[in-house]
């Protein structure tokens, strides 16, 4: 196992920040077709050191970049030759450019912090209007490397200490501990409660993320708190449908099933509310975002790509609380009534413009907790990919998401899918 070399990190960052023009580049073409895991790891190693972790059988593999906040860049369910599941912004890596706003290098699970908008935002400076021109991703969760604490064939631990200031002027002194591990086939299936005799190829990885208050003052909801935010970026296709189960019940008791107002209301041909789950297009052709509140969200979400016969499942720990940071780009009346689950579909931000990717995202957040000095908050997320025979995948989808593959594939009319291609 190759542990990250600090000299390589320094050289990588030196290259990134030696550019004179901080422009983020992507032609929206070079990242559509997912290659093999081996090919993507070889590409990444041209720019950053990569730690490869694998399960005991060698089929499930993941590639982690300590230089990019210990994010899981990609994974495979079939060793080196398997499909590379994570979206990687190869155009941006090759450009060696950086942007002041965000550097979307990709990766199928990256560590972020919230809230994004509002009076307690860490993406806007105090007094600035909530516009794209004033939106800046903190360097801590964009370009800063994390330190490697330990590593083994199937597990690695990382750490970072930092300071952040929110829109209201509150200073946070924090320590982040992040452990990334590949689960064995048996452990993964036990966690999902599924048949151990399935013939599907699979990979599963878990991240345990701990946010510590190492400052000299307790956090307060009157001045703002932080939350852990995990975002997975995946390769889009016209055949990909995102599936999010929800708690059924009246809007009077539980509120709306889905929040689809982040970037303007999502057209009905791209978002459908079924009896037990929400269907959302993951084609990477229309910029849109949805969210589910803690009253509506369950502890699971996923997607299915009928072209590659890949079922993706994301599970996370969801405690019994309703306080989550609100990331809306405005001064908020209810700053702790945000969503716990989000999904984003990339696309051109305006007619004729180029998309950031394209990609789609599956996201989960931790609760908003007012940590006292020395206290910590933990958020755990596990990502699973299954690939193979549709009959076997259908059983999994029905058990885990509550709907069959036919229901998923028929959520949107065939003529709409054809238009997306």
């Amino acid at each position: 196992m190759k542990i990250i070399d600090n000299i390589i990190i320094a050289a990588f960052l030196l290259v990134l920040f030696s550019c004179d023009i901080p422009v983020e580049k992507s032609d929206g073409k070079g990242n559509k077709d997912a290659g093999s895991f081996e090919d993507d790891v070889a590409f990444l190693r041209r720019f950053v050191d990569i730690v490869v972790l694998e399960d005991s059988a060698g089929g499930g593999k993941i590639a982690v970049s300590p230089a990019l906040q210990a994010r899981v860049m990609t994974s495979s369910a079939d060793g080196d030759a398997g499909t590379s599941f994570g979206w990687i912004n190869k155009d941006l890596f090759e450009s060696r450019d950086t942007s002041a706003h965000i550097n979307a290098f990709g990766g199928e699970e990256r560590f972020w912090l919230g809230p994004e908008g509002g009076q307690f935002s860490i993406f806007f400076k105090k007094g600035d209007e909530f516009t794209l021109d004033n939106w800046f991703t903190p360097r801590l969760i964009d370009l800063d490397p994390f330190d490697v604490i330990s590593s083994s064939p199937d597990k690695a631990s990382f750490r970072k200490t930092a300071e952040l200031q929110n829109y209201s002027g509150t200073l946070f002194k924090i320590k982040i501990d992040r452990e990334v591990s590949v689960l064995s086939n048996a452990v993964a299936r036990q966690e999902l409660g599924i048949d151990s005799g399935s013939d599907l190829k699979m990979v599963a990885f878990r991240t345990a993320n701990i946010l510590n208050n190492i400052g000299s003052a307790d956090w307060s909801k009157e001045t703002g708190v932080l939350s852990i935010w995990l975002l997975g970026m995946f390769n889009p296709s016209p055949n990909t449908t995102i599936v999010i189960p929800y708690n059924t019940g009246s809007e009077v008791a539980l509120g709306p099933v889905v929040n689809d107002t982040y970037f303007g209301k999502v057209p009905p041909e791209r978002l459908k509310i079924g009896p037990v789950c929400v269907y959302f297009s993951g084609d990477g052709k229309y910029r849109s975002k949805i969210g589910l509140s803690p009253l509506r969200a369950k502890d699971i979400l996923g997607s299915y790509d009928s072209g590659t016969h890949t079922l993706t499942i994301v599970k996370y720990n969801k405690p019994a609380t309703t306080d989550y940071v609100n990331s809306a780009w405005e001064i908020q009346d209810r700053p702790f009534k945000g969503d716990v689950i989000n999904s984003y579909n990339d696309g051109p931000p305006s007619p004729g413009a180029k998309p950031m990717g394209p990609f789609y995202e599956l996201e989960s957040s931790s609760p908003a907790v007012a940590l006292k000095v020395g206290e910590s908050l933990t958020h755990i997320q596990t990502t699973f990919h299954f690939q193979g025979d549709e009959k076997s995948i259908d059983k999994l989808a029905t058990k885990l998401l509550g709907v069959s593959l036919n229901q998923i594939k028929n959520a949107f009319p065939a003529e709409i899918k054809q238009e997306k291609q």
Side-chain angles (χ1 to χ4, degrees), residues 256-268:
V257 171
V258 63
N259 172 14
D260 68 343
T261 60
Y262 282 91
F263 300 124
K265 193 165 183 63
V266 182

Side-chain angles (χ1 to χ4, degrees), residues 67-105:
L68 293 172
Q69 306 84 53
R71 75 180 69 187
V72 178
M73 296 302 300
T74 190
S75 66
S76 166
D78 193 21
D80 287 338
T83 302
S84 181
F85 294 120
W87 176 76
I88 299 169
N89 194 340
K90 295 177 181 177
D91 294 333
L92 181 57
F93 274 107
E94 290 180 328
S95 76
R96 300 181 185 272
D97 284 344
T98 58
S99 167
H101 292 280
I102 186 175
N103 293 277
F105 287 107

Side-chain angles (χ1 to χ4, degrees), residues 25-32 87 89 91 284 354-358:
K25 295 181 178 178
S26 174
D27 66 3
K29 297 179 181 179
N31 307 293
K32 281 186 177 180
W87 176 76
N89 194 340
D91 294 333
K354 293 179 180 179
M356 188 183 302

Side-chain angles (χ1 to χ4, degrees), residues 189-411:
R189 294 182 184 281
Q190 182 179 22
E191 179 162 318
L192 291 176
I194 60 177
D195 179 14
S196 60
S198 174
D199 57 353
L200 295 172
K201 297 174 183 177
M202 69 164 293
V203 61
F205 64 88
R206 175 187 294 137
T207 69
N209 307 272
I210 304 174
L211 178 65
N212 302 267
N213 177 3
I214 61 171
S216 58
D218 297 342
W219 297 359
S220 165
K221 289 185 177 177
E222 282 67 44
T223 55
V225 302
L226 302 176
S227 70
I228 298 171
W229 187 4
L230 303 178
L231 305 92
M233 306 172 83
F234 305 97
N235 297 295
S237 84
N239 305 307
T240 297
T241 299
I242 296 153
V243 184
I244 308 178
Y246 65 88
N247 293 317
T248 58
S250 71
E251 288 200 9
V252 174
L254 301 179
V257 171
V258 63
N259 172 14
D260 68 343
T261 60
Y262 282 91
F263 300 124
K265 193 165 183 63
V266 182
E269 66 268 21
R270 294 183 163 276
L271 176 65
K272 178 181 176 181
I273 301 176
V276 297
C277 69
V278 172
Y279 302 98
F280 184 45
S281 175
D283 68 348
K285 292 185 178 295
Y286 187 89
R287 185 172 182 258
S288 47
K289 182 176 179 178
I290 62 173
L292 271 68
S293 72
L295 291 178
R296 286 293 189 180
K298 295 188 175 183
D299 66 350
I300 192 169
L301 64 159
S303 65
Y304 182 65
D305 183 341
S306 60
T308 61
H309 306 297
T310 302
L311 177 68
T312 297
I313 298 292
V314 173
K315 286 201 68 174
Y316 65 98
N317 65 307
K318 183 176 180 288
T321 180
T322 58
D323 285 352
Y324 286 81
V325 299
N326 187 341
S327 284
W329 288 18
E330 60 188 9
I331 299 298
Q332 302 153 2
D333 294 329
R334 301 194 300 170
F336 301 107
K337 292 303 176 185
D339 295 325
V340 56
I341 282 177
N342 289 104
S343 182
Y344 171 78
N345 184 47
D346 194 35
S350 59
K354 293 179 180 179
M356 188 183 302
F359 54 85
Y360 74 92
E361 290 182 323
L362 303 176
E363 313 169 10
S364 73
S365 293
S366 75
V369 179
L371 297 178
K372 295 181 179 180
V373 174
E375 288 186 339
S376 64
L377 167 69
T378 300
H379 188 58
I380 300 171
Q381 180 171 283
T382 309
T383 301
F384 308 79
H385 296 290
F386 299 91
Q387 205 169 37
D389 178 70
E390 280 205 337
K391 289 185 178 180
S392 297
I393 292 180
D394 180 64
K395 293 179 181 179
L396 286 182
T398 302
K399 178 176 179 59
L400 299 175
L401 300 175
V403 289
S404 68
L405 286 193
N406 278 337
Q407 289 175 290
I408 296 172
K409 291 190 289 186
N410 294 325

